[in-house]
Amino acid sequence: MPPEPATKPGPPAATIGPVAPSPSLLSQVHPALFDKSPIGIAFLDEENRLTRANAAFYRLVLGQLPEPPATVVGVPIATLLKPANGPDWPQPLTPGPETGYEVAFGHGQTGTAFVATDADHAAILHLIDTSHLKKLEIQFAQSQKMLAVGKLAGGIAHDFNNLLTAIIGFCDLLLLRHQPGDPSFADMMQIKQNANRAANLVRQLLAFSRQQTMQPRAMHLADVVADLSNLLNRLLGAGIALEVEHGPDVNPVCADRVQLEQVLINLAVNSRDAMDGKGILRICCRNTLRDDHDLTKLSPPLPPGQWVSIQVSDTGPGIPRQHLDQIFEPFFTTKPIGEGTGLGLSTVYGIVKQTGGYIYADNPPGGGALFTIYLPAHTAAVPQTHTPAQRADLTGDGEILLVEDEDPVRVFCARALRGKGYRVTEVRTGQAAMTLIKDGRTPFDLMITDIVMPEMDGPALIEQARATTPQLPVICISGYAEGAFREKLNQFDNIIFLAKPFTLQQLAKAVKDATTDVIINH
C-alpha cells in the first residue's frame, strides 16, 4: 500500500467566540510621557464622560490642576469643551475624515481637539491650544484692513489736498482784503476753519495708514506733557482732574512732536468721553527695560531694548473685553452714530507704529482703561534748540519758477507770491520748465515744483535742472506724504518739502527761508 502523501501545514483553525481586546493604549504608554506631555490628553468612555486626563489638559481647560483630579472624573466632556462651530459633540466620539474639532474652553481660549480610539475607551482627545494663532490671525486681518484703507487714503489724499490747498489759499487771499469788522469776514473764516477740519481728516487717514509726513526730533516727554497740560485741562473740563507723573531721569525719545501731541490729545478726549465728564486722567512716563517686567507675554511681543513708556489711564468704566482686539481697527467705535468716526484710536495706533513704538490697551484691576505706549529710548544727547521768532516781514524779491499742473493751486501760489513782491513765472509741466531753464534768459533764484506730474515728475525735473544750474534752490510741494518720495529726494541737497494743504503764510515763509537763509539739507 503506497504511503499517504505528506500534507502541508495549513492555517490555524479559527477561534470560536469573541476576540480578546488588545491592551489599552494607556497601559502601553510610560506614565511620564502621559503626565508631562505638553499636549492635553483626555480619555473618554462610551458616553463621552471624562475618565482620565493629564496635567496639560487640566491646565488648558480648567486653568489649574484639580485637587484631587478624581473630582472631575465622570464629568461630560461637553461641560469642559464646546465645539466652536456646529452642533454639540456626537456620541460616541469616533475619528472621522476631518483633522479635528475646533473647540472653545476657559476664558475665550480656542483649540483643536484631535480624536483617536482606544480599546478600553470610546475616544481619546488630544487638545492643542491655538489661542495665540487666533490672535495672530486677528492681527494679520487688522494689518490687511489698514493696508487696504491706507492705499485708499494715499490715493485720495493727493487730489483732496490739492482742492484744500486752493480753498484755504484763496480764503487767505480774500482775508487780506477783508478785516474782522467786514460782514463777510465771519463767513470766510467759517470756510477756512471747515477746510482745515477736512485737512485734519485727511491727516488722520494718513496717520493710521502710516503715510503722513513725519518730522522726528529728539525731545523729553516731560517737556511735551508740560506744554500740553493747559490744553488738556481745557479739553477735559472742570470735572476731570489731570495727574501727571514722571519717573526719575526719563530718557528722551525721537518723535514728531506734533504727532505725539495728537496721540495724547486723542487718548485724553477718548477718556473724557468714557468718564462722562467726571473722574481722573493720569499720564505717567518712565524708563522701561523689557527685562524689568514680564513684558514678553505682550501681544505682539515687545522687542528687547531700552524703551520709554507712556501710560494714559482713567477712572471710567473701562473697555469691554470683547472689544479689546478691535479698538485700533479703522472706523470701529462704540459711540452712538454721529458721535464718533472711529478714527481716533486708529490714528493713535498709526502714529505710534510709524514712530517705531508699540501700544497696548487693557483694563487694570482697579478699573478704568489703560493705554500703554512704548517708544524707543533716544540715547544721544538732546540738542538745545531755540525756536526763532516768527518773521513779521515775509516779503521778498527774486525770480521764482513755479511748476504745478493743478491750475487752482498754481494760480493761488502765483498770486500769493506776487503779492509778497516776487516775480513768478508759471508753467504746467516739467518739460516747459526745462525749456525756460536751458534758455537762460531769466536766471531763477528759486524753483517751486509739484512732485507728482504727468510725463516728467518732480525728482526728474530737479535732476535735469540741477545739471544746468547746480545751486538752484528747490521747494517741493505735494499732496502725498514726504516718505513716499524721500528716497528719490535724498540724492539732492538744498531741498525743502512743503506738504499740501498749506496756507499763504506757510508758503511765504518757506520761500523766504529758501531765498534768504541757509537752505535746509535733507
Side-chain angles (χ1 to χ4, degrees):
M1 186 174 179
E4 295 182 1
T7 58
K8 296 180 181 180
T15 303
I16 299 176
V19 179
S22 61
S24 167
L25 179 63
L26 179 59
S27 64
Q28 302 178 42
V29 179
H30 192 281
L33 297 178
F34 174 75
D35 293 327
K36 297 184 179 181
S37 171
I39 298 175
I41 306 174
F43 290 81
L44 310 178
D45 62 15
E46 294 79 359
E47 297 181 5
N48 289 352
R49 293 175 302 190
L50 186 69
T51 60
R52 184 174 177 183
N54 67 351
F57 181 88
Y58 287 132
R59 291 193 183 96
L60 283 174
V61 176
L62 303 177
Q64 60 183 356
L65 186 67
E67 291 294 343
T71 56
V72 292
V73 172
V75 173
I77 191 63
T79 64
L80 301 174
L81 297 175
K82 298 185 182 298
N85 299 302
D88 205 349
W89 295 106
Q91 188 171 336
L93 273 175
T94 55
E98 56 274 308
T99 57
Y101 294 89
E102 294 298 320
V103 294
F105 56 91
H107 300 287
Q109 293 175 285
T110 58
T112 302
F114 296 92
V115 181
T117 57
D118 182 29
D120 292 346
H121 297 79
I124 305 172
L125 289 184
H126 294 82
L127 181 61
I128 300 176
D129 185 9
T130 59
S131 300
H132 65 292
L133 295 178
K134 293 296 182 183
K135 291 181 179 179
L136 290 176
E137 289 177 4
I138 293 172
Q139 292 168 11
F140 179 74
Q142 180 179 347
S143 67
Q144 291 299 102
K145 287 181 183 179
M146 294 185 68
L147 179 62
V149 179
K151 288 182 178 179
L152 175 63
I156 68 172
H158 177 258
D159 293 338
F160 200 48
N161 281 333
N162 275 328
L163 296 173
L164 291 173
T165 301
I167 294 172
I168 295 172
F170 283 111
C171 277
D172 285 340
L173 291 174
L174 286 170
L175 289 170
L176 292 176
R177 303 196 301 268
H178 296 270
Q179 300 304 314
D182 192 295
S184 301
F185 182 83
D187 296 336
M188 296 175 193
M189 289 301 299
Q190 282 292 332
I191 295 173
K192 183 174 181 180
Q193 288 172 5
N194 283 280
N196 286 328
R197 289 181 61 190
N200 187 56
L201 182 61
V202 175
R203 282 192 290 269
Q204 284 184 307
L205 286 169
L206 293 175
F208 77 74
S209 62
R210 310 175 208 175
Q211 297 185 52
Q212 82 276 37
T213 300
M214 303 286 282
Q215 297 179 343
R217 298 287 186 273
M219 68 192 71
H220 291 284
L221 288 176
D223 298 336
V224 176
V225 176
D227 294 342
L228 201 60
S229 295
N230 290 333
L231 175 59
L232 290 179
N233 280 318
R234 290 197 299 270
L235 289 172
L236 295 174
I240 297 179
L242 175 63
E243 296 182 358
V244 178
E245 177 187 349
H246 300 295
D249 300 324
V250 178
N251 289 323
V253 298
C254 189
D256 185 307
R257 186 181 180 111
V258 174
Q259 300 294 341
L260 186 56
E261 289 175 349
Q262 185 67 47
V263 166
L264 296 175
I265 289 172
N266 284 11
L267 292 178
V269 170
N270 199 65
S271 294
R272 178 199 64 188
D273 296 342
M275 290 187 287
D276 198 20
K278 294 182 180 179
I280 301 174
L281 177 70
R282 297 183 179 90
I283 301 178
C284 179
C285 306
R286 57 169 55 95
N287 293 327
T288 301
L289 279 174
R290 197 190 71 167
D291 297 336
D292 289 349
H293 307 282
D294 191 13
L295 302 179
T296 56
K297 296 181 180 179
L298 293 174
S299 180
L302 186 69
Q306 292 185 344
W307 300 86
V308 177
S309 66
I310 311 171
Q311 291 186 333
V312 180
S313 60
D314 59 52
T315 55
I319 306 167
R321 187 157 294 277
Q322 67 270 23
H323 295 154
L324 278 174
D325 292 331
Q326 299 175 276
I327 58 174
F328 295 122
E329 292 184 6
F331 306 112
F332 176 82
T333 179
T334 58
K335 296 179 181 178
I337 296 176
E339 295 187 15
T341 62
L343 288 177
L345 291 179
S346 298
T347 301
V348 168
Y349 183 88
I351 293 173
V352 171
K353 295 302 291 183
Q354 193 171 358
T355 309
Y358 292 79
I359 182 169
Y360 304 93
D362 199 5
N363 294 315
L370 171 64
F371 290 89
T372 305
I373 299 170
Y374 294 96
L375 299 178
H378 183 74
T379 55
V382 179
Q384 298 295 325
T385 58
H386 301 279
T387 303
Q390 183 67 37
R391 282 193 179 94
D393 180 17
L394 294 178
T395 60
D397 179 67
E399 294 286 347
I400 296 178
L401 176 60
L402 176 60
V403 191
E404 171 61 67
D405 60 318
E406 286 288 336
D407 293 340
V409 177
R410 189 181 66 255
V411 172
F412 152 64
C413 292
R415 285 183 55 186
L417 294 176
R418 288 186 183 120
K420 295 297 182 182
Y422 298 99
R423 295 175 296 280
V424 181
T425 302
E426 307 172 48
V427 292
R428 298 186 71 255
T429 65
Q431 291 89 338
M434 282 308 305
T435 300
L436 293 174
I437 293 174
K438 289 180 179 179
D439 180 70
R441 285 183 289 182
T442 303
F444 295 106
D445 302 299
L446 173 69
M447 181 172 69
I448 303 175
T449 178
D450 193 8
I451 291 184
V452 178
M453 296 183 295
E455 299 181 17
M456 181 185 293
D457 61 10
L461 172 59
I462 296 172
E463 184 176 6
Q464 294 190 27
R466 289 284 176 84
T468 304
T469 54
Q471 302 303 319
L472 179 65
V474 178
I475 296 178
C476 290
I477 57 177
S478 179
Y480 288 106
E482 182 183 7
F485 310 98
R486 176 45 50 199
E487 185 175 349
K488 291 184 178 180
L489 297 179
N490 277 338
Q491 58 182 312
F492 307 115
D493 294 329
N494 299 345
I495 299 291
I496 293 177
F497 182 86
L498 184 61
K500 298 176 182 176
F502 47 79
T503 65
L504 188 155
Q505 184 176 9
Q506 289 171 333
L507 174 63
K509 183 179 185 304
V511 172
K512 188 80 170 182
D513 291 341
T515 55
T516 61
D517 293 343
V518 177
I519 302 301
I520 299 175
N521 293 317
H522 285 269

